[in-house]
Amino acid sequence: MKSCATPEISAIADRPFDLVVLVLPGFSHLALHAYIEPFRIANTISRLPLFRWRIAGLDARPVEGANALSIAVDATIDELGCKSDDRKPDQLAILAGEPVERQLTPQLNGFLRTIARRGVSISAVGTATWLLAQTGLLAGTRCTIHWSRLAAFSEVFNQPRIRDSLFVKDGQYSTCAGELAAFDLAIDLIGSHAGGYIAQEVCRHATVEGQRSGSNRQTGPTGLAFAGVSDKLVMAMRIMEENVEFPLSMDEVAHRAGVSRRQLERLFAAHIEVPPVRHYLRIRTDHAKRLIEGTRLPIVDIAMACGFISASHFAKCFRAFNGISPQQCRAMVPAWVGPGLG
């Protein structure tokens, strides 16, 4: 393999970028390897030690991932927390598991705050954003989290700066949706540290077509499959998804999408086979279901957060789409989602 090294890259390699990846029980192996492998590839194609990494754990025992496979650790958080500033890593990446709400122990909280005080850059991958928010380190910071947690995160932490993005960088902190978006976060770091050419070569080696921007949405609108059929339909769906708490009238949705209400109804009839009003209602009840499953907010508050002014109407709509009542859905939520999250 041809080396991509240049004098500038060789100079960078004199001091490899030091990464510590903290894995917590139940972490995603997909996210872990999507994050680490780009750095290995960068070293391989440059034939230089541009990056080095270590796996850290809460203690010295191997950490079991969500797929029941365990990984050995190179250091513990106590060891990392005791090191002097001249040995601090350049970057700490955190991969949390589930239930993330119960993973922030006093020991971990103290470690994260110590690392932050030392000025180490911190990346939260996937649900690890929840951990950083619990420590208070993300106050006023733009951030993201896996799409399945967006609704709950916004309500629990009253975080208006949450973004539906692949990854977000804001000062000392970067947050990432997790899973394959961890690859995009790693590529961005490679580009910043080793240059755009190395980043592009890593993408090419990994058979990835180009570098994705962090601002790309994690989740397209529910009608993304119709983008080639009708951009107006996709736009209308996106408008609905962005206006859940204060629902718009169909006339307003049509106006913002640049079509008449009659045209909007024809588009939904032709491609979705449900009226736009019912599709909008489904979006709002799906949002409510994510809040019921991800938080302990009172059902009445969830109803209001999803644009329902009547608890009885909310319950009727929820049952129509889900086959159970909101209360029955809440009863099925694991106990670990409980106290302190509402």
Side-chain angles (χ1 to χ4, degrees), residues 147 164 216-225 234 237-238 241:
W147 65 266
D164 178 11
N216 285 7
R217 290 185 67 179
Q218 296 179 47
T219 55
T222 51
L224 190 60
V234 173
M237 291 179 170
R238 177 165 292 176
E241 292 179 346

Side-chain angles (χ1 to χ4, degrees), residues 34 42 47 104 108 145-146 152 223 251 263 266 271 284 300-301:
R47 296 187 178 178
L104 187 68
L108 179 56
I145 195 170
H146 189 269
D251 287 332
Q263 287 174 306
R266 283 201 294 264
H271 301 296
R284 291 161 55 203
V300 65
D301 289 351

Side-chain angles (χ1 to χ4, degrees), residues 16-17 29 34 37 51 82 156 204 230 244 246 250 252 266 272 305:
F17 192 93
H29 275 270
E37 282 299 291
F51 300 92
C82 290
V156 169
R204 191 162 73 92
S230 173
V244 170
F246 301 104
M250 285 303 102
E252 180 62 21
R266 283 201 294 264
I272 309 297

Side-chain angles (χ1 to χ4, degrees), residues 244-247 284 300-315 317:
V244 170
E245 185 172 0
F246 301 104
R284 291 161 55 203
V300 65
D301 289 351
I302 291 175
M304 293 179 63
C306 297
F308 294 93
I309 59 175
S310 162
S312 59
H313 182 230
F314 169 59
C317 294

